[in-house]
Amino acid sequence: MAPKLTTVEHLKYSKRVVLKSIVGRDDGGVGLAGERVVVGGWVKSCTDKAEPVVAVADVTYPEVLMSRIPILGSIARILGGRKSVPVVKAEGGQSRTVSFVAWLRINDGSCVASLQVVAESSLYPLEQITHVGTSVLVEGVIVKIPAPKKHSIELKAEKILHVGSMNIETYPLRKSRLSLDTVRSYPHLRPRASMGASVARIRNSLFNATHLFFQSNGFLHVHMPIITTMSSRADAKMFQVSTLLNKLVDIEKTDEKNDKEDINIEVVKDAIKEKSARIEELKRTDSNKEALIGALQDLQKAHELALQLEEKQQSKALSVMDKILDFSKDFFLRRAYLSTSPELHLESYACALSSVYTFGPTFEADKDVKAAKNLAERWTIDVALAFAELEDAMNCAEDCLKFLCHKFLESCPDDLILMSKRVDNNCTDRLKSVCSRPFPRITYTEALDFLKKADDGKFDAQAEWGISLSREHESYLADVFFKQPVIIYEYPKEIKPFYVREADNEKTVSAFDIIAPKVGVLVQGSQKEERLKKITTRLEETGLSMEQYEWYLDIRRHGTVKHSGFSLAFENLVMFVTGIDNVKDVIPFPRTRGSAGV
Amino acid sequence: MAPKLTTVEHLKYSKRVVLKSIVGRDDGGVGLAGERVVVGGWVKSCTDKAEPVVAVADVTYPEVLMSRIPILGSIARILGGRKSVPVVKAEGGQSRTVSFVAWLRINDGSCVASLQVVAESSLYPLEQITHVGTSVLVEGVIVKIPAPKKHSIELKAEKILHVGSMNIETYPLRKSRLSLDTVRSYPHLRPRASMGASVARIRNSLFNATHLFFQSNGFLHVHMPIITTMSSRADAKMFQVSTLLNKLVDIEKTDEKNDKEDINIEVVKDAIKEKSARIEELKRTDSNKEALIGALQDLQKAHELALQLEEKQQSKALSVMDKILDFSKDFFLRRAYLSTSPELHLESYACALSSVYTFGPTFEADKDVKAAKNLAERWTIDVALAFAELEDAMNCAEDCLKFLCHKFLESCPDDLILMSKRVDNNCTDRLKSVCSRPFPRITYTEALDFLKKADDGKFDAQAEWGISLSREHESYLADVFFKQPVIIYEYPKEIKPFYVREADNEKTVSAFDIIAPKVGVLVQGSQKEERLKKITTRLEETGLSMEQYEWYLDIRRHGTVKHSGFSLAFENLVMFVTGIDNVKDVIPFPRTRGSAGV
């Protein structure tokens, strides 16, 4: 046995060894040969090449024998079926008992690689542990594979401590290799698939690198509010947060109960019809005037009752309506929404603590059918810097992106290989080029010049000064022309929010976007308007309610400073680094128009 | 001049030096004397002891002189008022010009300490920079104070690069020392106050330490959904997320417009009254029967019109009601809520990736008046561990708390001193005792024994088996009896959720709480029920909709594993480490019943 190079790392909060610390080692785990460990995981695949062997004392690993004595393969198929094979156990070179063996590849999500576990049927009924998806907790010894192919080691199981079996009929992820499309419908099982697990690890790596970058650069993380009474954009794209709708359902239930006790209006209406017909008949037959008067008075009473009932019902409906519309009775005593951006609130912290960031969820209810693939809930990194101008924010955003890509390359090499193989073989190059070259910086006006020069009718819409760049314009600049992320700055003021700082020319504002290949806008940033007069004028021009911005203007009234910031769309970043096209595949539980299940 | 020990750290994304790297140094910044720097910040106070001096060539610092020549103080008051004083500048010992000087203490939020800036009136009109709250960007030279008191260095300003002046009439935080009560109403200005800034830094420190703990222990951070269709608890305590209410407002607006074109029902009703009165008169005067019939028929028509109008109005109201109640037309095509806990979703990731955590917002709409001080939006750390039992989760939660307290002690000593002085002089001891001693672990049954022994009528309610411990019981155990955090485990199953693992005795479940002095429940955790049959039975007993839990049961159907987890209430942790009593003071923008403004 090889000398132990190191010992395994035992997990602190689970009585097992994490697979990454075995198969994720540079030596593939060879240095751990001879170690007794407990491992846990889910079966990713079970070998099909199971073969029988006559084990002899000094050679216990069937694959070696099989490769030497091919005839045994046929015997195996006859004796043991596909998943498990008989092994003639040997002691001192002599055959003793017959046993079946399974080679399970298990994964615990800690890394891309799986560990091969060799389990004999004497330990556990093999048919219960060989299905893809089964969980096992196994004690065994790490052994070196004498003639390694894909793996250098395997685990010889000695005890099966726990098995979580499978309902194979209902399990949707039976196959060992699953496409993103297949697993998308099962977000709760998706991390069991290699791609799902890999995306989770990549998100974690980028998440962790984000905090590392900002914390080491002196930024403070601040939690920003999710519920807000500010409706900065059109209400139409905001989710309303309310407890009134629950109350409404209660009212409905009470009403249903009460309704049963009421005189039914339909009965009264039927009576009116009947009485009206009777009157018509009396008139037609020109009968006794007294009878007609009596009938008319009868009808009058019925009418009065009907009106009373209608009024009662309607006032009930209206009172319910009032209760719903009366947001002064809602939980926050006014209308409240899910925040579409933390940036205004974050500014107030920057204008006190200088350098702050937040990593939180933002919400957009885009009801446009074309937007059905957009996420209603996404994560963004928002950054705000006091005593900082446009260039500072651009530098910070560029450095941040470079740092994240660099850390990702460093910490997830195996996940990157998986993405290259399965999604986009260009993603490593894309990442490396981000890290190695400065991002070109061009003004919006220069960007238009590039687009005009390029436009030999290739764009659906021509780029025009004063109009936002379209997705195809962005794509041309980042994917075709520069072939790397590009910073565009100094935009016409009409296409940027009121709080972006106006230039002396009064036409442009100090905004910038970072446009990246594949995904388009990754970062949106700006230097904020710090001058009270200017920002008040621009706010008035928007027609937004001034009252709700009073607190925001306070920051300009009291010790205003030049400050800047940006917002990085986290899911776009994950798409950028992995090459994955569908945004639903890069977030654990996607919420889109019509879909918030699971 | 002292030899330079180090040079200042220049900020990467702001053309200034952060104050922490000057006054936050162990030497108080003395090693940086002679360095020319640009600093920015907000004026915290402006000295009141301003005094005039006759400067001589080798002594340029007025305070020194003042302490030697007390008479100058009186002269200062006569010549220069309170905030600025005349200085007779000298060269070669000879008086030359008269100038005013202000000693500003500025802070940029990076640390508790402020930097004293000495500014002469020749640089900038002093009355514009001396108000508390003014922002300044100053270039100057760091100089050692010859006879240091509180500070060892100050900055001799040479250029005032930017000033953000004050609207002193409307600024609510004029005083230099502000109580938590005063600043609570101004969450956007709160970080300008020492306590507000300190809480922000403490939150950041704990936030960062959380990620450090979990990342270094092999946990992956996973973003959990905020919007959910699961209504795990009573709907009544959940916020509903909807876009229907926006639609409703649109409908109302359209209706208002349409209403103007309609015949007014009130006019018709008046006509009915009039006609009815006419009929009564006709009957009383016993006049012509034809006239009575005519009047009755006239009334009939008015009645019919009234009924028609009522019906039309009502159907309009009902159709609006239908639209509101028709959640199948809402954004997610069904009712959706803000998540009260990520724990079920997180389990699905643990049962694939083994060790996961999430740091996210959770929401509770508690409409109880007594709960008005509760946060509707709070942050929690949720942890899930596969192949882990109750004890593993308890160990992990205890280690996590200890690590967070330890890191906090290490990284925020000055903030801790501030808290000790201003809030709770016991907080350092409380933190140290957390780090140094293991938490006692007692079962719920043992906890009851302690409480029963203690109860000489001191509790409002007696502790009884099968009922949750009250706040006073928890307080007795943590504050009085153990005087440290205590872990209580093995609870009666009735008082814990259906997904907590049932013991063999079928009476208790594998749940635990960590109860801490001052704040009560800090952590709630459990081993989850991994057995499909058991969890299905318990779910059925709750009466909750089975359909919405199908995906959750999948985790037990397919490769189930023993797994555990816990949830740490972040705001409670901040209250625990700082001693702050009011939860609104430990979160940047608190949302409570009736309050989501700013």
Side-chain angles (χ1 to χ4, degrees), chain A residues 461-474:
Chain A
Q462 220 193 310
E464 243 179 283
W465 209 93
I467 296 172
S468 295
L469 298 183
S470 70
R471 185 70 194 84
E472 60 171 352
H473 297 146
E474 288 166 4

Side-chain angles (χ1 to χ4, degrees), chain A residues 13 15 108 135 192 204 221 227 269 283 289-290 297 310-311 313-314 351 354 399 560 591, chain B residues 13 108 135 192 204 221 227 269 283 289-290 297 310-311 313-314 351 354 399 560 591:
Chain A
Y13 311 114
K15 287 163 197 72
D108 66 1
S135 69
R192 298 266 188 100
N204 176 67
H221 182 277
I227 297 172
K269 281 186 185 169
K283 281 200 256 179
K289 286 204 166 65
E290 286 297 332
Q297 281 178 338
E310 286 277 3
E311 269 170 30
Q313 274 200 12
Q314 193 181 333
C351 292
S354 306
D399 283 0
T560 190
R591 270 78 181 98
Chain B
Y13 311 114
D108 66 2
S135 69
R192 298 265 186 100
N204 175 68
H221 183 276
I227 297 172
K269 282 186 183 168
K283 280 200 257 177
K289 284 204 165 70
E290 285 298 334
Q297 281 177 339
E310 286 276 2
E311 268 169 34
Q313 275 201 10
Q314 192 178 334
C351 292
S354 305
D399 284 1
T560 189
R591 270 76 181 99

Side-chain angles (χ1 to χ4, degrees), chain A residues 27 49 103 145 162 172 305 423 521 527:
Chain A
D27 66 357
K49 292 191 294 172
W103 288 269
I145 297 176
H162 184 268
L305 181 60
V423 183
V521 178
Q527 180 175 344

